[in-house]
Amino acid sequence: GGSLSSNNYNFNFITGKLAITKAQLKATAENKTRIYGQENPEFTVAYTGFANGETLFTSGVTGDPVISSSATPTTPVGEYALEMANGSLFSGNYDIALENGKLNIQKATVSVTVEDKEKVYGEDNPQWTVTYNGFVNAEVLATSGISGSPDLSSIATKASGVGVYDILAATGNLSASNYAFVFAKGKLTIKKALLTITAEDKSRKYGEANPSFTASYSGF
Protein backbone atom coordinates (compact mmCIF):
# COMPACT_ATOMS: atom_id res chain seq x y z
CA GLY A 1 0.00 0.00 0.00
CA GLY A 2 2.87 2.38 0.51
CA SER A 3 1.41 5.65 1.84
CA LEU A 4 -1.99 4.99 0.26
CA SER A 5 -4.88 5.67 2.70
CA SER A 6 -8.63 6.30 2.65
CA ASN A 7 -11.43 6.75 5.24
CA ASN A 8 -13.98 5.07 3.02
CA TYR A 9 -12.05 2.40 1.13
CA ASN A 10 -9.96 -0.62 1.70
CA PHE A 11 -7.54 -1.57 -1.02
CA ASN A 12 -7.08 -4.72 -3.04
CA PHE A 13 -3.82 -4.95 -4.96
CA ILE A 14 -3.54 -6.73 -8.32
CA THR A 15 -0.09 -7.31 -9.80
CA GLY A 16 0.60 -5.91 -13.28
CA LYS A 17 3.32 -6.73 -15.75
CA LEU A 18 6.11 -4.67 -17.26
CA ALA A 19 7.02 -5.92 -20.72
CA ILE A 20 10.65 -5.11 -21.54
CA THR A 21 11.10 -5.31 -25.30
CA LYS A 22 14.33 -5.47 -27.18
CA ALA A 23 16.25 -2.27 -27.80
CA GLN A 24 17.19 -1.37 -31.36
CA LEU A 25 20.81 -2.00 -32.35
CA LYS A 26 22.20 -1.13 -35.74
CA ALA A 27 24.95 -3.18 -37.39
CA THR A 28 26.48 -1.29 -40.31
CA ALA A 29 29.00 -2.61 -42.84
CA GLU A 30 31.83 -0.08 -42.66
CA ASN A 31 32.73 1.62 -45.93
CA LYS A 32 35.97 0.43 -47.53
CA THR A 33 38.32 1.61 -50.25
CA ARG A 34 40.73 -0.34 -52.41
CA ILE A 35 42.68 -0.02 -55.64
CA TYR A 36 41.64 -1.58 -58.94
CA GLY A 37 43.28 -4.98 -59.29
CA GLN A 38 43.63 -5.63 -55.57
CA GLU A 39 41.79 -8.21 -53.50
CA ASN A 40 38.89 -6.95 -51.44
CA PRO A 41 39.90 -5.76 -47.95
CA GLU A 42 38.58 -7.41 -44.83
CA PHE A 43 34.99 -6.27 -44.31
CA THR A 44 34.12 -5.00 -40.83
CA VAL A 45 31.00 -4.01 -38.88
CA ALA A 46 30.23 -1.01 -36.66
CA TYR A 47 27.50 -1.30 -34.00
CA THR A 48 25.49 1.66 -32.69
CA GLY A 49 22.63 1.81 -30.17
CA PHE A 50 23.85 -0.12 -27.14
CA ALA A 51 21.98 0.60 -23.90
CA ASN A 52 23.17 0.77 -20.30
CA GLY A 53 26.69 1.75 -21.32
CA GLU A 54 27.25 -1.64 -22.88
CA THR A 55 29.70 -2.44 -25.61
CA LEU A 56 29.73 -5.29 -28.10
CA PHE A 57 31.74 -7.36 -25.63
CA THR A 58 29.42 -6.78 -22.66
CA SER A 59 26.08 -6.72 -24.51
CA GLY A 60 25.53 -10.43 -24.89
CA VAL A 61 25.48 -10.10 -28.68
CA THR A 62 26.93 -13.27 -30.19
CA GLY A 63 27.89 -14.45 -33.64
CA ASP A 64 28.75 -12.43 -36.70
CA PRO A 65 26.88 -11.05 -39.68
CA VAL A 66 27.88 -12.00 -43.22
CA ILE A 67 29.18 -9.18 -45.43
CA SER A 68 29.50 -9.79 -49.15
CA SER A 69 30.29 -7.87 -52.32
CA SER A 70 30.08 -8.69 -56.00
CA ALA A 71 33.41 -6.90 -56.57
CA THR A 72 36.48 -8.91 -57.60
CA PRO A 73 40.01 -7.78 -58.54
CA THR A 74 38.86 -7.29 -62.14
CA THR A 75 35.82 -5.19 -61.22
CA PRO A 76 36.14 -1.70 -62.76
CA VAL A 77 36.62 1.50 -60.83
CA GLY A 78 33.39 2.59 -59.12
CA GLU A 79 31.23 2.20 -56.02
CA TYR A 80 29.74 -1.15 -55.02
CA ALA A 81 27.42 -2.29 -52.23
CA LEU A 82 28.66 -4.20 -49.21
CA GLU A 83 25.59 -6.29 -48.49
CA MET A 84 24.74 -7.42 -44.97
CA ALA A 85 23.06 -10.68 -43.96
CA ASN A 86 22.29 -11.86 -40.43
CA GLY A 87 24.63 -14.84 -40.48
CA SER A 88 25.01 -16.15 -36.92
CA LEU A 89 24.26 -12.79 -35.26
CA PHE A 90 22.00 -13.11 -32.19
CA SER A 91 21.00 -11.08 -29.15
CA GLY A 92 18.47 -11.62 -26.39
CA ASN A 93 18.19 -7.90 -25.59
CA TYR A 94 18.51 -6.25 -28.99
CA ASP A 95 16.70 -6.25 -32.30
CA ILE A 96 19.52 -5.85 -34.77
CA ALA A 97 18.94 -3.84 -37.93
CA LEU A 98 21.41 -4.44 -40.74
CA GLU A 99 22.68 -1.60 -42.91
CA ASN A 100 24.72 -2.06 -46.06
CA GLY A 101 28.01 -0.26 -46.65
CA LYS A 102 29.97 0.73 -49.75
CA LEU A 103 33.17 -0.42 -51.38
CA ASN A 104 34.91 2.28 -53.38
CA ILE A 105 37.33 0.98 -56.04
CA GLN A 106 39.87 3.61 -57.04
CA LYS A 107 42.20 3.84 -60.02
CA ALA A 108 45.48 1.95 -60.07
CA THR A 109 48.58 3.94 -60.99
CA VAL A 110 50.54 3.38 -64.18
CA SER A 111 54.01 4.87 -64.62
CA VAL A 112 54.62 6.46 -68.02
CA THR A 113 58.38 6.65 -68.52
CA VAL A 114 59.99 8.48 -71.43
CA GLU A 115 62.70 6.33 -72.98
CA ASP A 116 66.18 7.82 -73.21
CA LYS A 117 67.38 8.77 -76.68
CA GLU A 118 70.62 9.74 -78.42
CA LYS A 119 71.40 11.77 -81.50
CA VAL A 120 74.34 13.47 -83.19
CA TYR A 121 74.74 17.24 -83.15
CA GLY A 122 72.93 18.73 -86.15
CA GLU A 123 70.45 15.90 -86.59
CA ASP A 124 66.71 16.16 -86.15
CA ASN A 125 65.37 14.94 -82.84
CA PRO A 126 64.48 11.24 -82.85
CA GLN A 127 60.93 10.05 -82.33
CA TRP A 128 60.06 10.12 -78.63
CA THR A 129 58.73 6.89 -77.11
CA VAL A 130 57.45 5.78 -73.70
CA THR A 131 57.09 2.60 -71.66
CA TYR A 132 54.18 1.79 -69.35
CA ASN A 133 54.54 -0.03 -66.03
CA GLY A 134 52.06 -0.93 -63.30
CA PHE A 135 49.30 -2.77 -65.11
CA VAL A 136 47.22 -5.17 -62.99
CA ASN A 137 45.09 -8.24 -63.72
CA ALA A 138 47.67 -9.41 -66.29
CA GLU A 139 46.67 -6.53 -68.55
CA VAL A 140 48.92 -4.97 -71.15
CA LEU A 141 48.61 -1.64 -72.91
CA ALA A 142 46.36 -3.09 -75.61
CA THR A 143 43.93 -4.63 -73.09
CA SER A 144 44.09 -1.99 -70.35
CA GLY A 145 41.49 0.38 -71.76
CA ILE A 146 44.07 3.16 -72.04
CA SER A 147 43.48 5.43 -75.00
CA GLY A 148 45.27 8.43 -76.47
CA SER A 149 48.91 9.31 -75.99
CA PRO A 150 50.99 11.59 -73.80
CA ASP A 151 52.54 14.85 -74.93
CA LEU A 152 56.34 14.48 -75.20
CA SER A 153 58.67 17.41 -75.66
CA SER A 154 62.22 18.71 -75.28
CA ILE A 155 63.85 22.11 -75.57
CA ALA A 156 66.51 20.45 -77.73
CA THR A 157 66.47 21.32 -81.45
CA LYS A 158 68.60 20.49 -84.44
CA ALA A 159 70.91 23.36 -83.47
CA SER A 160 71.25 22.45 -79.78
CA GLY A 161 74.81 21.86 -78.68
CA VAL A 162 76.36 18.69 -77.34
CA GLY A 163 74.96 17.79 -73.91
CA VAL A 164 72.08 16.11 -72.08
CA TYR A 165 68.54 17.48 -72.33
CA ASP A 166 65.31 16.50 -70.60
CA ILE A 167 62.51 14.86 -72.53
CA LEU A 168 59.32 15.79 -70.69
CA ALA A 169 55.97 14.02 -70.59
CA ALA A 170 52.50 15.42 -69.90
CA THR A 171 49.03 13.86 -69.98
CA GLY A 172 48.09 14.99 -73.49
CA ASN A 173 44.94 13.07 -74.46
CA LEU A 174 45.90 10.00 -72.45
CA SER A 175 42.93 8.58 -70.53
CA ALA A 176 41.75 5.40 -68.83
CA SER A 177 38.79 4.36 -66.72
CA ASN A 178 40.81 2.19 -64.36
CA TYR A 179 44.21 3.86 -64.28
CA ALA A 180 45.76 7.14 -63.18
CA PHE A 181 49.13 8.22 -64.55
CA VAL A 182 52.45 9.39 -63.17
CA PHE A 183 55.16 10.57 -65.54
CA ALA A 184 58.94 10.14 -65.49
CA LYS A 185 61.09 12.23 -67.83
CA GLY A 186 63.76 10.81 -70.11
CA LYS A 187 67.11 12.11 -71.33
CA LEU A 188 68.27 13.10 -74.79
CA THR A 189 72.03 12.84 -75.19
CA ILE A 190 73.47 14.89 -78.06
CA LYS A 191 76.84 13.59 -79.17
CA LYS A 192 79.54 15.28 -81.25
CA ALA A 193 79.14 15.19 -85.00
CA LEU A 194 82.06 13.87 -87.07
CA LEU A 195 84.03 16.47 -88.97
CA THR A 196 86.48 15.27 -91.64
CA ILE A 197 89.67 17.29 -92.16
CA THR A 198 91.42 16.36 -95.38
CA ALA A 199 94.95 17.45 -96.33
CA GLU A 200 94.60 18.79 -99.86
CA ASP A 201 96.83 17.26 -102.54
CA LYS A 202 99.78 19.34 -103.66
CA SER A 203 102.51 19.14 -106.30
CA ARG A 204 105.92 20.72 -106.82
CA LYS A 205 108.98 20.28 -108.99
CA TYR A 206 111.98 18.41 -107.90
CA GLY A 207 114.32 20.67 -106.03
CA GLU A 208 111.71 23.23 -105.11
CA ALA A 209 110.58 23.95 -101.59
CA ASN A 210 107.38 22.33 -100.43
CA PRO A 211 104.30 24.43 -101.13
CA SER A 212 102.04 25.67 -98.39
CA PHE A 213 99.99 22.77 -97.15
CA THR A 214 96.23 23.31 -96.82
CA ALA A 215 93.24 21.36 -95.55
CA SER A 216 89.57 21.10 -96.43
CA TYR A 217 86.75 20.43 -93.93
CA SER A 218 83.60 18.42 -94.57
CA GLY A 219 80.76 17.28 -92.35
CA PHE A 220 79.48 20.52 -90.84
Side-chain angles (χ1 to χ4, degrees):
S3 60
L4 196 64
S5 66
S6 173
N7 292 327
N8 297 319
Y9 291 95
N10 291 319
F11 303 102
N12 178 39
F13 296 97
I14 300 172
T15 300
K17 294 180 179 180
L18 169 67
I20 300 178
T21 59
K22 290 185 176 184
Q24 292 294 312
L25 184 67
K26 182 186 289 186
T28 303
E30 295 184 296
N31 294 337
K32 298 291 181 177
T33 299
R34 71 165 172 86
I35 302 299
Y36 172 68
Q38 294 180 350
E39 297 289 342
N40 288 334
E42 181 181 359
F43 299 140
T44 54
V45 182
Y47 294 87
T48 54
F50 290 113
N52 299 321
E54 293 175 344
T55 66
L56 178 61
F57 302 104
T58 62
S59 65
V61 174
T62 60
D64 295 291
V66 175
I67 308 173
S68 61
S69 173
S70 62
T72 69
T74 59
T75 300
V77 167
E79 193 172 80
Y80 299 86
L82 297 180
E83 297 179 347
M84 292 277 284
N86 195 73
S88 59
L89 200 59
F90 173 78
S91 174
N93 293 324
Y94 294 97
D95 277 328
I96 303 175
L98 304 179
E99 186 170 295
N100 293 341
K102 294 177 181 179
L103 173 65
N104 186 270
I105 300 178
Q106 299 179 338
K107 291 184 176 185
T109 300
V110 163
S111 297
V112 183
T113 302
V114 182
E115 295 184 299
D116 293 339
K117 298 291 181 178
E118 293 182 350
K119 73 163 186 166
V120 172
Y121 172 67
E123 292 180 348
D124 289 324
N125 287 337
Q127 183 178 1
W128 311 131
T129 55
V130 297
T131 57
Y132 295 85
N133 291 287
F135 294 115
V136 297
N137 297 325
E139 293 175 347
V140 296
L141 180 60
T143 61
S144 66
I146 291 176
S147 62
S149 58
D151 281 339
L152 307 175
S153 62
S154 176
I155 63 170
T157 67
K158 194 172 183 177
S160 297
V162 168
V164 179
Y165 299 81
D166 287 337
I167 311 169
L168 303 177
T171 301
N173 61 356
L174 201 60
S175 66
S177 298
N178 295 320
Y179 291 98
F181 304 101
V182 293
F183 298 94
K185 64 185 178 183
K187 297 289 186 182
L188 171 65
T189 301
I190 301 179
K191 297 181 175 181
K192 290 184 177 183
L194 182 63
L195 189 65
T196 301
I197 305 172
T198 303
E200 295 181 302
D201 294 339
K202 299 291 180 179
S203 63
R204 68 169 174 83
K205 292 182 180 180
Y206 174 68
E208 292 180 348
N210 287 337
S212 176
F213 298 136
T214 59
S216 61
Y217 294 79
S218 62
F220 289 113

PDB file of all heavy atoms in Angstrom, residues 192-216:
ATOM      1  N   LYS A 192      78.805  14.499 -80.256  1.00  0.00           N
ATOM      2  CA  LYS A 192      79.536  15.282 -81.252  1.00  0.00           C
ATOM      3  C   LYS A 192      79.337  14.709 -82.651  1.00  0.00           C
ATOM      4  O   LYS A 192      79.338  13.484 -82.847  1.00  0.00           O
ATOM      5  CB  LYS A 192      81.027  15.298 -80.932  1.00  0.00           C
ATOM      6  CG  LYS A 192      81.377  16.122 -79.694  1.00  0.00           C
ATOM      7  CD  LYS A 192      82.888  16.174 -79.490  1.00  0.00           C
ATOM      8  CE  LYS A 192      83.266  17.065 -78.302  1.00  0.00           C
ATOM      9  NZ  LYS A 192      84.731  17.178 -78.134  1.00  0.00           N
ATOM     10  N   ALA A 193      79.162  15.598 -83.601  1.00  0.00           N
ATOM     11  CA  ALA A 193      79.140  15.189 -85.005  1.00  0.00           C
ATOM     12  C   ALA A 193      80.579  14.928 -85.467  1.00  0.00           C
ATOM     13  O   ALA A 193      81.549  15.403 -84.854  1.00  0.00           O
ATOM     14  CB  ALA A 193      78.498  16.273 -85.855  1.00  0.00           C
ATOM     15  N   LEU A 194      80.729  14.192 -86.539  1.00  0.00           N
ATOM     16  CA  LEU A 194      82.056  13.867 -87.070  1.00  0.00           C
ATOM     17  C   LEU A 194      82.422  14.857 -88.179  1.00  0.00           C
ATOM     18  O   LEU A 194      81.691  15.004 -89.159  1.00  0.00           O
ATOM     19  CB  LEU A 194      82.063  12.441 -87.621  1.00  0.00           C
ATOM     20  CG  LEU A 194      83.413  11.967 -88.161  1.00  0.00           C
ATOM     21  CD1 LEU A 194      84.453  11.920 -87.056  1.00  0.00           C
ATOM     22  CD2 LEU A 194      83.266  10.595 -88.820  1.00  0.00           C
ATOM     23  N   LEU A 195      83.516  15.518 -87.983  1.00  0.00           N
ATOM     24  CA  LEU A 195      84.025  16.473 -88.969  1.00  0.00           C
ATOM     25  C   LEU A 195      85.285  15.884 -89.587  1.00  0.00           C
ATOM     26  O   LEU A 195      86.205  15.461 -88.883  1.00  0.00           O
ATOM     27  CB  LEU A 195      84.347  17.807 -88.290  1.00  0.00           C
ATOM     28  CG  LEU A 195      84.687  18.984 -89.195  1.00  0.00           C
ATOM     29  CD1 LEU A 195      83.485  19.371 -90.048  1.00  0.00           C
ATOM     30  CD2 LEU A 195      85.147  20.179 -88.353  1.00  0.00           C
ATOM     31  N   THR A 196      85.322  15.826 -90.930  1.00  0.00           N
ATOM     32  CA  THR A 196      86.483  15.265 -91.636  1.00  0.00           C
ATOM     33  C   THR A 196      87.395  16.392 -92.124  1.00  0.00           C
ATOM     34  O   THR A 196      86.939  17.324 -92.796  1.00  0.00           O
ATOM     35  CB  THR A 196      86.022  14.418 -92.834  1.00  0.00           C
ATOM     36  OG1 THR A 196      85.179  13.355 -92.355  1.00  0.00           O
ATOM     37  CG2 THR A 196      87.217  13.836 -93.577  1.00  0.00           C
ATOM     38  N   ILE A 197      88.672  16.302 -91.745  1.00  0.00           N
ATOM     39  CA  ILE A 197      89.669  17.290 -92.163  1.00  0.00           C
ATOM     40  C   ILE A 197      90.649  16.581 -93.107  1.00  0.00           C
ATOM     41  O   ILE A 197      91.336  15.639 -92.701  1.00  0.00           O
ATOM     42  CB  ILE A 197      90.423  17.870 -90.952  1.00  0.00           C
ATOM     43  CG1 ILE A 197      89.415  18.442 -89.948  1.00  0.00           C
ATOM     44  CG2 ILE A 197      91.422  18.932 -91.391  1.00  0.00           C
ATOM     45  CD1 ILE A 197      90.028  18.863 -88.641  1.00  0.00           C
ATOM     46  N   THR A 198      90.639  17.036 -94.343  1.00  0.00           N
ATOM     47  CA  THR A 198      91.425  16.363 -95.382  1.00  0.00           C
ATOM     48  C   THR A 198      92.574  17.262 -95.847  1.00  0.00           C
ATOM     49  O   THR A 198      92.357  18.417 -96.237  1.00  0.00           O
ATOM     50  CB  THR A 198      90.532  16.017 -96.585  1.00  0.00           C
ATOM     51  OG1 THR A 198      89.436  15.201 -96.141  1.00  0.00           O
ATOM     52  CG2 THR A 198      91.325  15.271 -97.651  1.00  0.00           C
ATOM     53  N   ALA A 199      93.789  16.720 -95.775  1.00  0.00           N
ATOM     54  CA  ALA A 199      94.949  17.454 -96.326  1.00  0.00           C
ATOM     55  C   ALA A 199      94.821  17.471 -97.852  1.00  0.00           C
ATOM     56  O   ALA A 199      94.716  16.428 -98.497  1.00  0.00           O
ATOM     57  CB  ALA A 199      96.245  16.778 -95.903  1.00  0.00           C
ATOM     58  N   GLU A 200      94.784  18.666 -98.419  1.00  0.00           N
ATOM     59  CA  GLU A 200      94.596  18.790 -99.861  1.00  0.00           C
ATOM     60  C   GLU A 200      95.873  18.385-100.610  1.00  0.00           C
ATOM     61  O   GLU A 200      96.993  18.679-100.178  1.00  0.00           O
ATOM     62  CB  GLU A 200      94.220  20.234-100.212  1.00  0.00           C
ATOM     63  CG  GLU A 200      92.862  20.626 -99.626  1.00  0.00           C
ATOM     64  CD  GLU A 200      92.460  22.039 -99.974  1.00  0.00           C
ATOM     65  OE1 GLU A 200      93.226  22.967 -99.646  1.00  0.00           O
ATOM     66  OE2 GLU A 200      91.379  22.213-100.561  1.00  0.00           O
ATOM     67  N   ASP A 201      95.683  17.707-101.726  1.00  0.00           N
ATOM     68  CA  ASP A 201      96.829  17.259-102.536  1.00  0.00           C
ATOM     69  C   ASP A 201      97.611  18.455-103.078  1.00  0.00           C
ATOM     70  O   ASP A 201      97.023  19.487-103.433  1.00  0.00           O
ATOM     71  CB  ASP A 201      96.337  16.400-103.698  1.00  0.00           C
ATOM     72  CG  ASP A 201      95.725  15.084-103.209  1.00  0.00           C
ATOM     73  OD1 ASP A 201      96.025  14.667-102.063  1.00  0.00           O
ATOM     74  OD2 ASP A 201      94.938  14.486-103.975  1.00  0.00           O
ATOM     75  N   LYS A 202      98.905  18.283-103.136  1.00  0.00           N
ATOM     76  CA  LYS A 202      99.785  19.339-103.658  1.00  0.00           C
ATOM     77  C   LYS A 202     100.797  18.725-104.625  1.00  0.00           C
ATOM     78  O   LYS A 202     101.018  17.512-104.634  1.00  0.00           O
ATOM     79  CB  LYS A 202     100.529  20.047-102.514  1.00  0.00           C
ATOM     80  CG  LYS A 202      99.643  20.739-101.489  1.00  0.00           C
ATOM     81  CD  LYS A 202      98.942  21.952-102.074  1.00  0.00           C
ATOM     82  CE  LYS A 202      98.057  22.631-101.029  1.00  0.00           C
ATOM     83  NZ  LYS A 202      97.388  23.830-101.566  1.00  0.00           N
ATOM     84  N   SER A 203     101.427  19.597-105.406  1.00  0.00           N
ATOM     85  CA  SER A 203     102.512  19.136-106.302  1.00  0.00           C
ATOM     86  C   SER A 203     103.599  20.218-106.365  1.00  0.00           C
ATOM     87  O   SER A 203     103.326  21.403-106.151  1.00  0.00           O
ATOM     88  CB  SER A 203     101.965  18.838-107.704  1.00  0.00           C
ATOM     89  OG  SER A 203     101.456  20.014-108.295  1.00  0.00           O
ATOM     90  N   ARG A 204     104.802  19.781-106.613  1.00  0.00           N
ATOM     91  CA  ARG A 204     105.916  20.715-106.821  1.00  0.00           C
ATOM     92  C   ARG A 204     106.965  20.038-107.696  1.00  0.00           C
ATOM     93  O   ARG A 204     106.951  18.811-107.895  1.00  0.00           O
ATOM     94  CB  ARG A 204     106.515  21.159-105.502  1.00  0.00           C
ATOM     95  CG  ARG A 204     107.259  20.060-104.725  1.00  0.00           C
ATOM     96  CD  ARG A 204     108.031  20.658-103.577  1.00  0.00           C
ATOM     97  NE  ARG A 204     108.647  19.652-102.723  1.00  0.00           N
ATOM     98  CZ  ARG A 204     109.819  19.058-102.972  1.00  0.00           C
ATOM     99  NH1 ARG A 204     110.492  19.341-104.086  1.00  0.00           N
ATOM    100  NH2 ARG A 204     110.304  18.178-102.119  1.00  0.00           N
ATOM    101  N   LYS A 205     107.877  20.812-108.167  1.00  0.00           N
ATOM    102  CA  LYS A 205     108.976  20.281-108.985  1.00  0.00           C
ATOM    103  C   LYS A 205     110.122  19.858-108.093  1.00  0.00           C
ATOM    104  O   LYS A 205     110.347  20.423-107.020  1.00  0.00           O
ATOM    105  CB  LYS A 205     109.459  21.324-109.994  1.00  0.00           C
ATOM    106  CG  LYS A 205     108.423  21.612-111.069  1.00  0.00           C
ATOM    107  CD  LYS A 205     108.943  22.612-112.065  1.00  0.00           C
ATOM    108  CE  LYS A 205     107.898  22.895-113.154  1.00  0.00           C
ATOM    109  NZ  LYS A 205     108.385  23.871-114.152  1.00  0.00           N
ATOM    110  N   TYR A 206     110.797  18.885-108.607  1.00  0.00           N
ATOM    111  CA  TYR A 206     111.983  18.409-107.905  1.00  0.00           C
ATOM    112  C   TYR A 206     112.931  19.569-107.627  1.00  0.00           C
ATOM    113  O   TYR A 206     113.210  20.392-108.500  1.00  0.00           O
ATOM    114  CB  TYR A 206     112.684  17.353-108.769  1.00  0.00           C
ATOM    115  CG  TYR A 206     114.004  16.877-108.213  1.00  0.00           C
ATOM    116  CD1 TYR A 206     114.044  16.115-107.039  1.00  0.00           C
ATOM    117  CD2 TYR A 206     115.201  17.190-108.856  1.00  0.00           C
ATOM    118  CE1 TYR A 206     115.267  15.694-106.542  1.00  0.00           C
ATOM    119  CE2 TYR A 206     116.412  16.764-108.362  1.00  0.00           C
ATOM    120  CZ  TYR A 206     116.438  16.010-107.185  1.00  0.00           C
ATOM    121  OH  TYR A 206     117.663  15.600-106.700  1.00  0.00           O
ATOM    122  N   GLY A 207     113.367  19.633-106.417  1.00  0.00           N
ATOM    123  CA  GLY A 207     114.318  20.667-106.034  1.00  0.00           C
ATOM    124  C   GLY A 207     113.671  21.917-105.476  1.00  0.00           C
ATOM    125  O   GLY A 207     114.379  22.766-104.914  1.00  0.00           O
ATOM    126  N   GLU A 208     112.381  22.059-105.665  1.00  0.00           N
ATOM    127  CA  GLU A 208     111.707  23.227-105.114  1.00  0.00           C
ATOM    128  C   GLU A 208     111.325  22.991-103.645  1.00  0.00           C
ATOM    129  O   GLU A 208     111.246  21.854-103.192  1.00  0.00           O
ATOM    130  CB  GLU A 208     110.430  23.535-105.909  1.00  0.00           C
ATOM    131  CG  GLU A 208     110.692  24.025-107.327  1.00  0.00           C
ATOM    132  CD  GLU A 208     109.412  24.317-108.078  1.00  0.00           C
ATOM    133  OE1 GLU A 208     108.327  23.913-107.545  1.00  0.00           O
ATOM    134  OE2 GLU A 208     109.458  24.903-109.161  1.00  0.00           O
ATOM    135  N   ALA A 209     111.067  24.066-102.962  1.00  0.00           N
ATOM    136  CA  ALA A 209     110.579  23.947-101.590  1.00  0.00           C
ATOM    137  C   ALA A 209     109.127  23.459-101.601  1.00  0.00           C
ATOM    138  O   ALA A 209     108.398  23.649-102.574  1.00  0.00           O
ATOM    139  CB  ALA A 209     110.663  25.300-100.881  1.00  0.00           C
ATOM    140  N   ASN A 210     108.779  22.779-100.536  1.00  0.00           N
ATOM    141  CA  ASN A 210     107.381  22.334-100.430  1.00  0.00           C
ATOM    142  C   ASN A 210     106.443  23.532-100.478  1.00  0.00           C
ATOM    143  O   ASN A 210     106.736  24.600 -99.924  1.00  0.00           O
ATOM    144  CB  ASN A 210     107.147  21.594 -99.121  1.00  0.00           C
ATOM    145  CG  ASN A 210     107.789  20.203 -99.120  1.00  0.00           C
ATOM    146  OD1 ASN A 210     108.035  19.624-100.180  1.00  0.00           O
ATOM    147  ND2 ASN A 210     108.086  19.687 -97.933  1.00  0.00           N
ATOM    148  N   PRO A 211     105.291  23.347-101.127  1.00  0.00           N
ATOM    149  CA  PRO A 211     104.297  24.431-101.134  1.00  0.00           C
ATOM    150  C   PRO A 211     103.626  24.536 -99.769  1.00  0.00           C
ATOM    151  O   PRO A 211     103.818  23.701 -98.886  1.00  0.00           O
ATOM    152  CB  PRO A 211     103.307  23.977-102.208  1.00  0.00           C
ATOM    153  CG  PRO A 211     103.370  22.490-102.153  1.00  0.00           C
ATOM    154  CD  PRO A 211     104.813  22.141-101.850  1.00  0.00           C
ATOM    155  N   SER A 212     102.834  25.535 -99.613  1.00  0.00           N
ATOM    156  CA  SER A 212     102.040  25.673 -98.385  1.00  0.00           C
ATOM    157  C   SER A 212     100.988  24.563 -98.358  1.00  0.00           C
ATOM    158  O   SER A 212     100.258  24.351 -99.330  1.00  0.00           O
ATOM    159  CB  SER A 212     101.366  27.052 -98.364  1.00  0.00           C
ATOM    160  OG  SER A 212     100.541  27.148 -97.232  1.00  0.00           O
ATOM    161  N   PHE A 213     100.963  23.845 -97.289  1.00  0.00           N
ATOM    162  CA  PHE A 213      99.994  22.770 -97.150  1.00  0.00           C
ATOM    163  C   PHE A 213      98.669  23.311 -96.624  1.00  0.00           C
ATOM    164  O   PHE A 213      98.643  24.138 -95.703  1.00  0.00           O
ATOM    165  CB  PHE A 213     100.503  21.673 -96.214  1.00  0.00           C
ATOM    166  CG  PHE A 213     101.774  21.006 -96.721  1.00  0.00           C
ATOM    167  CD1 PHE A 213     102.829  20.749 -95.873  1.00  0.00           C
ATOM    168  CD2 PHE A 213     101.880  20.647 -98.064  1.00  0.00           C
ATOM    169  CE1 PHE A 213     103.983  20.128 -96.345  1.00  0.00           C
ATOM    170  CE2 PHE A 213     103.022  20.036 -98.540  1.00  0.00           C
ATOM    171  CZ  PHE A 213     104.086  19.774 -97.686  1.00  0.00           C
ATOM    172  N   THR A 214      97.575  22.846 -97.192  1.00  0.00           N
ATOM    173  CA  THR A 214      96.233  23.307 -96.818  1.00  0.00           C
ATOM    174  C   THR A 214      95.317  22.117 -96.561  1.00  0.00           C
ATOM    175  O   THR A 214      95.611  20.997 -96.953  1.00  0.00           O
ATOM    176  CB  THR A 214      95.625  24.192 -97.919  1.00  0.00           C
ATOM    177  OG1 THR A 214      95.572  23.423 -99.133  1.00  0.00           O
ATOM    178  CG2 THR A 214      96.431  25.450 -98.144  1.00  0.00           C
ATOM    179  N   ALA A 215      94.206  22.424 -95.890  1.00  0.00           N
ATOM    180  CA  ALA A 215      93.241  21.364 -95.550  1.00  0.00           C
ATOM    181  C   ALA A 215      91.831  21.805 -95.926  1.00  0.00           C
ATOM    182  O   ALA A 215      91.526  22.990 -95.995  1.00  0.00           O
ATOM    183  CB  ALA A 215      93.283  21.044 -94.062  1.00  0.00           C
ATOM    184  N   SER A 216      90.990  20.816 -96.193  1.00  0.00           N
ATOM    185  CA  SER A 216      89.573  21.097 -96.428  1.00  0.00           C
ATOM    186  C   SER A 216      88.748  20.375 -95.354  1.00  0.00           C
ATOM    187  O   SER A 216      89.167  19.338 -94.828  1.00  0.00           O
ATOM    188  CB  SER A 216      89.140  20.607 -97.812  1.00  0.00           C
ATOM    189  OG  SER A 216      89.306  19.194 -97.929  1.00  0.00           O
TER     190      SER A 216
END
